Amino acid sequence: MTKQTLPNTKPIMGRIIKKWEECEDTFGFLIDIPVKVKGAKPGQFIMLWIPGVDEYPIGIADFENNVLEIGVSKMGVGTEAMINKNIGDLVGIRGFYGKPFQPPNKVNHLIIGGGFGMTPLKLLTTYLLLREEKEEIHIFEGARSKNRLMYLDWFQNLHDQKKLVFHVSTDDGSYGYKGFPTVDLEDFLQKSETPSVIYAAGPERMMKVIFDIGKKYQKVIDMQMSFADRYMRCGFGLCSYCAVDPTGWRICVDGPIFNAKQIEQIEDFGNYRRIETGEKQRI
Amino acid sequence: MELETTVGSIKLRNPLILSSGILGTSYSTLQRIYEAGMGAVVTKSIGPRARKGNPNPSIFALQEIKSVINSVGLANPGYKVFREDIEKLIENKIPTIASVFGENETEFVEVLEGLKDLHILAFELNLSCPNIEKGGTQIGTNPETVFNIVKKIRSITSSPIWVKLTPNVNNIIDIAEAAVKGGCDALVAINTLKAMVIDIDAQIPILGYKRGGLSGAAIKPIGIRYVYDLFENFGEKIPIVGVGGISRGEDIIEYLLAGANAVQIGTALGVAYPENMIKFFQMRIKKYMKEHTIEKISELVGGAHK
């Protein structure tokens, strides 16, 4: 059941208490939320309002003691306006919206993504590390080059402590393997014997490639992917600007996380997205 | 006990219609909502060409008054693109009402000409959107313009024409009279109310467009009043579709008693499980009818006028 942890309200103003350059063109923010809120679940998102500029969905990287962590990559006027914000500035938060990842037990957890997609995957990783079941966690992160890898130190550190296995790759070979993370993933799947679940977030074309790889292996018992990178207006199921065909599912409340069985039914997956007019555009 | 109702010549399996602007961007959401048990669905308002609408924030909830403010601003893909969605709905036998708008008579005509060959249940003329600079409320608040547009469209199509009225007027009866004289087949009342929300910390209006329209529970008594007034004035002469703030089955009964033949529901379906809401609405209506030994919806219509 989707039970929103914050009631569905107008934006609640939160204060930026920390800002740092996470990697090239991407900044991390800690935002203090002034009302008592229960924990965010991995995969959920917020609508971030930059007063006077724009509002858009953003993944949740962490949430503890009423402090929210997000990562914002420069992609347009709205994200740039956030990046130009500083400690002490106020921004509006609506959410937490959407259905979360639902990791089963007794499987290998294979977490793969790139760019802004790493944000919800960071919270998923934290969540899995806190669980009592100790299963293997593998992170497959890819980026164009080393300076564009999000949470590099954070994942590397957990790898060094042997809490997870960090498979990192860059297109130019400046860090980790040279190539795409999907290649790493497939290498791993070929060798592994254990039942696995794939979790993915990031550009939809990449997710499509991952989905097609995952389907080839019986040991992949499920795939859970985030569709949060879509145009949204309301965030709570009213406007349908984020809806996918032919199922009529709204990404914001029926998703943004869908499982393999659901993804199979979404013909728009990897093919079309809606823009502000409601028109479909090829991905 | 039967939930069937009629709006003029149109027969509906029940009086619940999805209102325009909610879940109406794609054939797939409209079909999903119809299959969950609505009597019919109204599309998002469609204009002559693709329109981006207003910047975000363009929709958010006002929890304290169980309402929603929006300034989507008629974002839509244009009739040439959306035609395909309507065709799919008709093919799948979904009773579909196309909401159409234009900034002026010429644009209304263009859209109607482009869609009139479809076997649509009805056209709903959105003469009352408060969230755009040209057209919208400006059109819907002038009786002469309303008359001219409705009359012109009457000459183009034989499909039923519904006219959606704005509550943002001094006298809704004047506007309704003009629409009826122009030849419309039903009145739909009401559209959203002009509204604004200012954030006191950021000290600016929250909506990207600053101004917006209010829907949801807060506007229900206003909608009831307008439907009551319209029924009192027109009686059986013109069917009324009641809309505004329905969030419980009881609200539907209230609209029927005020004089509506059917109702439209929107904001209340912006939830994780709209299917459940629709079932609750139906259950509550049936329970009321049973308790009051009512066999047909028509027995309720206008029942509060004593």
Side-chain angles (χ1 to χ4, degrees):
Chain A
M1 292 290 285
T2 320
K3 193 124 201 189
Q4 260 123 36
T5 45
L6 260 181
N8 188 17
T9 63
K10 66 184 175 188
I12 289 173
M13 300 311 284
R15 202 170 287 283
I16 297 169
I17 55 171
K18 196 177 167 193
K19 176 190 176 184
W20 67 95
E21 192 171 5
E22 180 54 54
C23 62
E24 197 175 311
D25 286 342
T26 299
F27 283 78
F29 292 90
L30 291 185
I31 302 166
D32 186 35
I33 299 186
V35 297
K36 275 264 166 260
V37 186
K38 275 193 220 158
K41 298 190 184 113
Q44 287 191 306
F45 66 96
I46 58 156
M47 293 297 284
L48 177 69
W49 177 44
I50 318 303
V53 185
D54 198 3
E55 188 191 45
Y56 43 87
I58 281 277
I60 300 169
D62 202 5
F63 185 74
E64 219 184 335
N65 301 326
N66 259 41
V67 173
L68 177 74
E69 182 193 333
I70 56 170
V72 180
S73 301
K74 206 183 276 185
M75 282 192 290
V77 179
T79 46
E80 213 156 306
M82 183 61 191
I83 286 170
N84 290 332
K85 291 279 173 196
N86 288 306
I87 292 169
D89 289 343
L90 289 170
V91 290
I93 311 285
R94 293 195 289 126
F96 310 128
Y97 290 135
K99 293 200 168 111
F101 286 110
Q102 288 175 325
N105 295 328
K106 299 191 174 64
V107 293
N108 276 349
H109 301 288
L110 313 181
I111 299 175
I112 175 164
F116 54 86
M118 296 313 291
T119 306
L121 298 179
K122 179 177 184 251
L123 183 58
L124 174 64
T125 306
T126 304
Y127 176 86
L128 288 172
L129 289 170
L130 287 171
R131 291 210 314 186
E132 282 194 4
E133 298 83 10
K134 292 294 168 224
E135 297 132 347
E136 278 185 36
I137 302 170
H138 294 264
I139 310 290
F140 300 85
E141 180 177 11
R144 263 184 281 159
S145 56
K146 185 189 175 188
N147 55 2
R148 302 190 81 91
L149 286 163
M150 273 179 98
Y151 311 122
L152 175 58
D153 295 343
W154 192 78
F155 283 121
Q156 191 61 58
N157 192 21
L158 288 166
H159 173 90
D160 295 343
Q161 292 174 40
K162 301 200 179 341
K163 289 186 172 162
L164 51 74
V165 186
F166 188 34
H167 308 252
V168 59
S169 57
T170 48
D171 301 359
D172 64 3
S174 53
Y175 197 78
Y177 306 90
K178 187 175 189 306
F180 297 127
T182 45
V183 178
D184 272 354
L185 175 74
E186 185 142 24
D187 276 355
F188 179 84
L189 285 171
Q190 278 169 357
K191 290 172 206 149
S192 162
E193 299 293 328
T194 324
S196 295
V197 171
I198 294 174
Y199 310 88
E204 213 166 295
R205 281 169 73 165
M206 179 198 76
M207 295 205 301
K208 185 77 164 57
V209 174
I210 296 167
F211 193 71
D212 291 339
I213 292 172
K215 274 201 294 191
K216 290 194 287 185
Y217 297 90
Q218 276 201 339
K219 68 194 91 165
V220 176
I221 61 161
D222 194 14
M223 289 185 265
Q224 303 184 11
M225 300 192 171
S226 171
F227 284 60
D229 175 38
R230 291 214 166 210
Y231 180 74
M232 292 184 193
R233 284 184 183 274
C234 69
F236 57 94
L238 196 74
C239 71
S240 73
Y241 279 83
C242 65
V244 286
D245 294 335
T247 55
W249 290 331
R250 301 151 297 168
I251 300 299
C252 62
V253 286
D254 299 309
I257 310 301
F258 290 105
N259 62 35
K261 232 182 188 167
Q262 291 172 313
I263 296 168
E264 199 72 69
Q265 296 174 60
I266 303 173
E267 287 170 10
D268 286 354
F269 174 52
N271 294 318
Y272 291 100
R273 56 186 296 134
R274 269 174 221 286
I275 55 173
E276 299 106 302
T277 59
E279 276 168 288
K280 280 191 181 180
Q281 206 173 53
R282 269 228 164 260
I283 287 178
Chain B
M1 195 199 311
E2 280 175 19
L3 289 187
E4 265 182 34
T5 189
T6 55
V7 180
S9 60
I10 299 169
K11 239 193 202 150
L12 300 174
R13 66 180 180 182
N14 68 52
L16 281 61
I17 304 170
L18 173 73
S19 68
S20 178
I22 307 291
L23 296 164
T25 306
S26 167
Y27 77 91
S28 62
T29 46
L30 290 161
Q31 180 162 344
R32 173 179 166 187
I33 294 302
Y34 174 74
E35 284 169 355
M38 299 296 275
V41 291
V42 186
T43 67
K44 171 96 197 109
S45 289
I46 302 302
R49 57 197 67 86
R51 190 183 169 105
K52 271 188 168 181
N54 295 322
N56 283 341
S58 55
I59 308 176
F60 58 89
L62 298 166
Q63 190 205 9
E64 66 279 16
I65 52 170
K66 286 170 70 182
S67 297
V68 164
I69 188 167
N70 92 82
S71 63
V72 171
L74 298 172
N76 83 97
Y79 72 89
K80 284 176 192 152
V81 171
F82 198 73
R83 217 190 124 87
E84 277 178 39
D85 287 76
I86 300 178
E87 280 169 355
K88 273 187 198 138
L89 288 164
I90 293 170
E91 200 182 297
N92 296 339
K93 301 193 167 43
I94 313 293
T96 304
I97 296 151
S99 173
V100 296
F101 80 93
E103 287 184 2
N104 49 47
E105 193 180 309
T106 318
E107 286 195 356
F108 267 103
V109 169
E110 186 189 340
V111 180
L112 259 291
E113 288 286 359
L115 298 175
K116 69 175 184 184
D117 61 308
L118 297 171
H119 294 287
I120 211 129
L121 202 62
F123 286 104
E124 181 177 284
L125 310 185
N126 181 357
L127 299 171
S128 47
C129 175
N131 299 325
I132 55 172
E133 273 167 35
K134 289 185 197 157
T137 307
Q138 280 174 359
I139 291 178
T141 54
N142 183 332
E144 206 187 319
T145 324
V146 169
F147 172 78
N148 289 336
I149 291 176
V150 177
K151 193 174 168 220
K152 182 72 195 176
I153 289 169
R154 179 75 292 160
S155 73
I156 294 173
T157 175
S158 54
S159 296
I161 299 169
W162 295 7
V163 172
K164 190 161 182 182
L165 301 169
T166 172
N168 302 309
V169 287
N170 286 332
N171 189 350
I172 203 168
I173 303 295
D174 289 349
I175 310 292
E177 292 272 13
V180 173
K181 266 192 207 139
C184 77
D185 299 279
L187 298 168
V188 183
I190 55 176
N191 207 318
T192 58
L193 271 97
K194 289 184 181 182
M196 179 184 272
V197 177
I198 293 171
D199 185 86
I200 61 166
D201 293 315
Q203 302 186 336
I204 58 163
I206 299 176
L207 288 171
Y209 187 65
K210 297 188 176 76
R211 296 164 177 86
L214 189 68
S215 63
I219 75 163
K220 194 198 70 183
I222 302 163
I224 296 286
R225 157 79 192 262
Y226 278 121
V227 169
Y228 189 94
D229 285 354
L230 290 167
F231 188 86
E232 192 173 76
N233 190 75
F234 294 102
E236 309 283 318
K237 198 174 145 199
I238 186 101
I240 300 164
V241 179
V243 51
I246 290 170
S247 65
R248 308 167 306 158
E250 287 85 341
D251 302 335
I252 298 168
I253 306 288
E254 202 178 334
Y255 266 106
L256 296 172
L257 291 170
N261 296 73
V263 296
Q264 291 184 358
I265 306 171
T267 303
L269 299 177
V271 291
Y273 299 96
E275 286 86 354
N276 294 352
M277 288 296 283
I278 295 165
K279 286 199 178 76
F280 288 143
F281 288 140
Q282 288 185 356
M283 271 166 49
R284 192 68 192 87
I285 297 172
K286 283 182 190 156
K287 188 165 173 254
Y288 180 92
M289 288 172 75
K290 200 177 166 197
E291 282 167 5
H292 295 77
T293 55
I294 289 158
E295 289 296 320
K296 288 179 180 162
I297 291 290
S298 60
E299 294 171 43
L300 287 166
V301 177
H305 295 261
K306 285 177 180 133

